[in-house]
Amino acid sequence: MSDAPSPVTDADFARFCEFLYRRTGILFTPAKRYFVDRRLGERMQATGSRSFAVYLARLRSDADGEVERLINAFTINETYFYREDHQLRCLTSSLLPETVARKAPGSTVRIWSMPCSTGEEPYSVAMWLLENWPEVDRYDVEIVGSDIDTRALTAAEEGLYGERALMRLRPDLVARYFVREETRLGPGWRILGDLRGSVRFTPCNLTDATDMAAHGRFDVVFCRNVLIYFDDASRRIAADHIYDALVPGGFVCLGHTESMSRISPLFRVCRYDDAIVYRRPREGEHV
């Protein structure tokens, strides 16, 4: 007799997608059925669940932290250093000068990468500031990377990357901020300890108000290429949470295919030479 779980029915698929949607805001349609079935089947087999009903009961009781393992299996962590670097140029040419114009030297500047995947984005921000923002040492810059995927966060803290992740970096940057290491999968490059120490990583669910509020407020939030996986309702919830996570006058940078104007009326559109970003209005300022 086979130990493989029984097949997932159409009704099971719909119930599972509803469960995942309520936990993460990510919506899978029948067009993604193969993707869902494969990963769901892997988790059912790993937990010894012979049927979807048994596995769903396990999820609802969250036995052995299975919900976290499931979410980790369904998140997508494809990224690389200096991705969409026009926004990094905008950060140092426009966003930070506007931000620190309202701060005294020595004040804290908070930048949030949410979701941060395996760390390439927040580490890119740290490197970019060191290379391109002369004011970096005049302020207490705090960079936080957060993600719902705890495996991605572990990888981010380790700071070890393959060649593809570094494809956009000049050789001198790689030499300055990485140390080459041999791994079982071939050559790897590990971020220097000082740079790893400049970024703090935390678990966070973009659609969970408590998770988001626990991180306080930020001057700049990078929230790129995640809202495309949400439906309209979840996007609006996420936008509300991002709004609350920004100081008045703070900025949010989305992915190049995303537009906050189509999601929420709360933000002002800011058009700079390098990028279009969105700003929480300052006190007394109307959208």
Side-chain angles (χ1 to χ4, degrees), residues 137-177:
D137 291 327
R138 297 190 65 201
Y139 297 91
D140 177 21
V141 180
E142 180 184 356
I143 302 173
V144 180
S146 301
D147 205 283
I148 197 172
D149 187 337
T150 54
R151 292 180 309 178
L153 292 173
T154 297
E157 290 175 337
E158 291 176 354
L160 181 63
Y161 299 97
E163 187 172 18
R164 188 180 186 282
L166 278 63
M167 64 184 179
R168 294 289 302 276
L169 296 180
R170 301 191 314 266
D172 63 297
L173 291 177
V174 175
R176 194 144 54 240
Y177 295 109

Side-chain angles (χ1 to χ4, degrees), residues 152-267:
L153 292 173
T154 297
E157 290 175 337
E158 291 176 354
L160 181 63
Y161 299 97
E163 187 172 18
R164 188 180 186 282
L166 278 63
M167 64 184 179
R168 294 289 302 276
L169 296 180
R170 301 191 314 266
D172 63 297
L173 291 177
V174 175
R176 194 144 54 240
Y177 295 109
F178 295 82
V179 174
R180 180 174 169 133
E181 293 186 10
E182 291 299 326
T183 74
R184 61 183 180 82
L185 300 177
W189 288 263
R190 191 181 300 276
I191 292 269
L192 292 179
D194 287 347
L195 192 59
R196 291 205 309 276
S198 70
V199 179
R200 179 167 63 93
F201 292 100
T202 65
C204 187
N205 183 341
L206 183 58
T207 61
D208 188 306
T210 302
D211 270 9
M212 294 288 288
H215 287 78
R217 286 184 169 181
F218 292 81
D219 297 289
V220 181
V221 173
F222 287 90
C223 184
R224 307 193 292 193
N225 306 307
V226 63
L227 298 181
I228 55 177
Y229 298 106
F230 291 3
D231 69 351
D232 289 343
S234 294
R235 288 189 193 105
R236 182 57 192 266
I237 291 170
D240 288 348
H241 293 169
I242 293 168
Y243 179 90
D244 291 337
L246 288 168
V247 300
F251 300 95
V252 57
C253 301
L254 301 182
H256 72 279
T257 63
E258 300 167 316
S259 170
M260 188 63 81
S261 300
R262 295 197 293 265
I263 300 171
S264 170
L266 296 175
F267 298 83

